[in-house]
mmCIF file with all atom_site columns, all heavy atoms in Angstrom:
data_model
loop_
_atom_site.group_PDB
_atom_site.id
_atom_site.type_symbol
_atom_site.label_atom_id
_atom_site.label_alt_id
_atom_site.label_comp_id
_atom_site.label_asym_id
_atom_site.label_entity_id
_atom_site.label_seq_id
_atom_site.pdbx_PDB_ins_code
_atom_site.Cartn_x
_atom_site.Cartn_y
_atom_site.Cartn_z
_atom_site.occupancy
_atom_site.B_iso_or_equiv
_atom_site.pdbx_formal_charge
_atom_site.auth_seq_id
_atom_site.auth_comp_id
_atom_site.auth_asym_id
_atom_site.auth_atom_id
_atom_site.pdbx_PDB_model_num
ATOM 1  N N   . SER A 1 5   ? 9.432  40.713 75.865  1.00 51.00 ? 5   SER A N   1
ATOM 2  C CA  . SER A 1 5   ? 8.119  41.037 75.363  1.00 51.00 ? 5   SER A CA  1
ATOM 3  C C   . SER A 1 5   ? 7.165  39.778 75.482  1.00 51.00 ? 5   SER A C   1
ATOM 4  O O   . SER A 1 5   ? 6.030  39.951 75.494  1.00 51.00 ? 5   SER A O   1
ATOM 5  C CB  . SER A 1 5   ? 8.130  41.360 73.766  1.00 51.00 ? 5   SER A CB  1
ATOM 6  O OG  . SER A 1 5   ? 8.753  40.449 73.113  1.00 51.00 ? 5   SER A OG  1
ATOM 7  N N   . ARG A 1 40  ? 47.954 31.189 93.755  1.00 96.00 ? 40  ARG A N   1
ATOM 8  C CA  . ARG A 1 40  ? 49.322 31.315 93.564  1.00 96.00 ? 40  ARG A CA  1
ATOM 9  C C   . ARG A 1 40  ? 49.914 31.504 94.981  1.00 96.00 ? 40  ARG A C   1
ATOM 10 O O   . ARG A 1 40  ? 51.041 31.132 95.269  1.00 96.00 ? 40  ARG A O   1
ATOM 11 C CB  . ARG A 1 40  ? 49.606 32.479 92.731  1.00 96.00 ? 40  ARG A CB  1
ATOM 12 C CG  . ARG A 1 40  ? 49.427 32.158 91.309  1.00 96.00 ? 40  ARG A CG  1
ATOM 13 C CD  . ARG A 1 40  ? 49.661 33.370 90.394  1.00 96.00 ? 40  ARG A CD  1
ATOM 14 N NE  . ARG A 1 40  ? 49.380 33.092 89.051  1.00 96.00 ? 40  ARG A NE  1
ATOM 15 C CZ  . ARG A 1 40  ? 49.328 34.050 88.055  1.00 96.00 ? 40  ARG A CZ  1
ATOM 16 N NH1 . ARG A 1 40  ? 49.574 35.256 88.342  1.00 96.00 ? 40  ARG A NH1 1
ATOM 17 N NH2 . ARG A 1 40  ? 49.159 33.694 86.722  1.00 96.00 ? 40  ARG A NH2 1
ATOM 18 N N   . GLY A 1 63  ? 36.147 29.820 98.872  1.00 95.00 ? 63  GLY A N   1
ATOM 19 C CA  . GLY A 1 63  ? 37.294 29.391 99.550  1.00 95.00 ? 63  GLY A CA  1
ATOM 20 C C   . GLY A 1 63  ? 37.227 27.803 99.867  1.00 95.00 ? 63  GLY A C   1
ATOM 21 O O   . GLY A 1 63  ? 38.243 27.084 99.720  1.00 95.00 ? 63  GLY A O   1
ATOM 22 N N   . ARG A 1 64  ? 36.028 27.356 100.280 1.00 95.00 ? 64  ARG A N   1
ATOM 23 C CA  . ARG A 1 64  ? 35.771 25.953 100.536 1.00 95.00 ? 64  ARG A CA  1
ATOM 24 C C   . ARG A 1 64  ? 36.024 25.162 99.224  1.00 95.00 ? 64  ARG A C   1
ATOM 25 O O   . ARG A 1 64  ? 36.542 24.001 99.201  1.00 95.00 ? 64  ARG A O   1
ATOM 26 C CB  . ARG A 1 64  ? 34.529 25.646 101.209 1.00 95.00 ? 64  ARG A CB  1
ATOM 27 C CG  . ARG A 1 64  ? 34.518 26.104 102.547 1.00 95.00 ? 64  ARG A CG  1
ATOM 28 C CD  . ARG A 1 64  ? 33.202 25.613 103.377 1.00 95.00 ? 64  ARG A CD  1
ATOM 29 N NE  . ARG A 1 64  ? 31.930 26.403 102.945 1.00 95.00 ? 64  ARG A NE  1
ATOM 30 C CZ  . ARG A 1 64  ? 31.619 27.489 103.620 1.00 95.00 ? 64  ARG A CZ  1
ATOM 31 N NH1 . ARG A 1 64  ? 32.284 27.889 104.717 1.00 95.00 ? 64  ARG A NH1 1
ATOM 32 N NH2 . ARG A 1 64  ? 30.504 27.982 103.356 1.00 95.00 ? 64  ARG A NH2 1
ATOM 33 N N   . LEU A 1 90  ? 41.817 44.945 94.321  1.00 88.00 ? 90  LEU A N   1
ATOM 34 C CA  . LEU A 1 90  ? 41.634 45.080 92.880  1.00 88.00 ? 90  LEU A CA  1
ATOM 35 C C   . LEU A 1 90  ? 40.418 46.012 92.536  1.00 88.00 ? 90  LEU A C   1
ATOM 36 O O   . LEU A 1 90  ? 40.448 46.884 91.719  1.00 88.00 ? 90  LEU A O   1
ATOM 37 C CB  . LEU A 1 90  ? 41.360 43.731 92.161  1.00 88.00 ? 90  LEU A CB  1
ATOM 38 C CG  . LEU A 1 90  ? 42.544 42.714 92.119  1.00 88.00 ? 90  LEU A CG  1
ATOM 39 C CD1 . LEU A 1 90  ? 42.052 41.358 91.819  1.00 88.00 ? 90  LEU A CD1 1
ATOM 40 C CD2 . LEU A 1 90  ? 43.410 43.223 91.052  1.00 88.00 ? 90  LEU A CD2 1
ATOM 41 N N   . GLN A 1 147 ? 27.729 33.643 108.137 1.00 51.00 ? 147 GLN A N   1
ATOM 42 C CA  . GLN A 1 147 ? 28.624 33.086 107.359 1.00 51.00 ? 147 GLN A CA  1
ATOM 43 C C   . GLN A 1 147 ? 28.835 31.528 107.552 1.00 51.00 ? 147 GLN A C   1
ATOM 44 O O   . GLN A 1 147 ? 29.725 30.924 106.952 1.00 51.00 ? 147 GLN A O   1
ATOM 45 C CB  . GLN A 1 147 ? 30.099 33.676 107.656 1.00 51.00 ? 147 GLN A CB  1
ATOM 46 C CG  . GLN A 1 147 ? 30.056 35.187 107.589 1.00 51.00 ? 147 GLN A CG  1
ATOM 47 C CD  . GLN A 1 147 ? 29.610 35.782 106.322 1.00 51.00 ? 147 GLN A CD  1
ATOM 48 O OE1 . GLN A 1 147 ? 29.581 35.160 105.296 1.00 51.00 ? 147 GLN A OE1 1
ATOM 49 N NE2 . GLN A 1 147 ? 29.358 37.092 106.206 1.00 51.00 ? 147 GLN A NE2 1
ATOM 50 N N   . TYR A 1 174 ? 17.228 38.469 98.793  1.00 98.00 ? 174 TYR A N   1
ATOM 51 C CA  . TYR A 1 174 ? 16.054 39.111 97.976  1.00 98.00 ? 174 TYR A CA  1
ATOM 52 C C   . TYR A 1 174 ? 14.743 39.289 98.680  1.00 98.00 ? 174 TYR A C   1
ATOM 53 O O   . TYR A 1 174 ? 14.079 40.278 98.528  1.00 98.00 ? 174 TYR A O   1
ATOM 54 C CB  . TYR A 1 174 ? 15.962 38.274 96.640  1.00 98.00 ? 174 TYR A CB  1
ATOM 55 C CG  . TYR A 1 174 ? 16.881 38.625 95.579  1.00 98.00 ? 174 TYR A CG  1
ATOM 56 C CD1 . TYR A 1 174 ? 17.907 37.759 95.327  1.00 98.00 ? 174 TYR A CD1 1
ATOM 57 C CD2 . TYR A 1 174 ? 16.801 39.718 94.815  1.00 98.00 ? 174 TYR A CD2 1
ATOM 58 C CE1 . TYR A 1 174 ? 18.867 38.093 94.373  1.00 98.00 ? 174 TYR A CE1 1
ATOM 59 C CE2 . TYR A 1 174 ? 17.753 40.081 93.868  1.00 98.00 ? 174 TYR A CE2 1
ATOM 60 C CZ  . TYR A 1 174 ? 18.725 39.262 93.671  1.00 98.00 ? 174 TYR A CZ  1
ATOM 61 O OH  . TYR A 1 174 ? 19.644 39.629 92.671  1.00 98.00 ? 174 TYR A OH  1
ATOM 62 N N   . SER A 1 178 ? 13.257 43.158 99.104  1.00 98.00 ? 178 SER A N   1
ATOM 63 C CA  . SER A 1 178 ? 11.925 43.596 98.624  1.00 98.00 ? 178 SER A CA  1
ATOM 64 C C   . SER A 1 178 ? 11.064 44.054 99.807  1.00 98.00 ? 178 SER A C   1
ATOM 65 O O   . SER A 1 178 ? 10.313 44.905 99.702  1.00 98.00 ? 178 SER A O   1
ATOM 66 C CB  . SER A 1 178 ? 11.269 42.295 97.925  1.00 98.00 ? 178 SER A CB  1
ATOM 67 O OG  . SER A 1 178 ? 11.117 41.172 98.756  1.00 98.00 ? 178 SER A OG  1
ATOM 68 N N   . SER A 1 236 ? 13.437 50.022 76.604  1.00 90.00 ? 236 SER A N   1
ATOM 69 C CA  . SER A 1 236 ? 12.149 50.446 76.089  1.00 90.00 ? 236 SER A CA  1
ATOM 70 C C   . SER A 1 236 ? 11.051 49.836 76.935  1.00 90.00 ? 236 SER A C   1
ATOM 71 O O   . SER A 1 236 ? 10.114 50.536 77.162  1.00 90.00 ? 236 SER A O   1
ATOM 72 C CB  . SER A 1 236 ? 11.935 49.830 74.557  1.00 90.00 ? 236 SER A CB  1
ATOM 73 O OG  . SER A 1 236 ? 12.873 50.371 73.740  1.00 90.00 ? 236 SER A OG  1
ATOM 74 N N   . PRO A 1 243 ? 6.041  54.070 85.002  1.00 85.00 ? 243 PRO A N   1
ATOM 75 C CA  . PRO A 1 243 ? 5.962  55.492 84.859  1.00 85.00 ? 243 PRO A CA  1
ATOM 76 C C   . PRO A 1 243 ? 6.910  56.147 85.801  1.00 85.00 ? 243 PRO A C   1
ATOM 77 O O   . PRO A 1 243 ? 7.333  55.827 86.812  1.00 85.00 ? 243 PRO A O   1
ATOM 78 C CB  . PRO A 1 243 ? 4.547  55.761 85.229  1.00 85.00 ? 243 PRO A CB  1
ATOM 79 C CG  . PRO A 1 243 ? 4.075  54.644 86.157  1.00 85.00 ? 243 PRO A CG  1
ATOM 80 C CD  . PRO A 1 243 ? 4.931  53.414 85.550  1.00 85.00 ? 243 PRO A CD  1
#
Side-chain angles (χ1 to χ4, degrees):
S5 58
R40 288 176 180 170
R64 287 190 284 268
L90 290 164
Q147 311 297 348
Y174 279 104
S178 57
S236 297

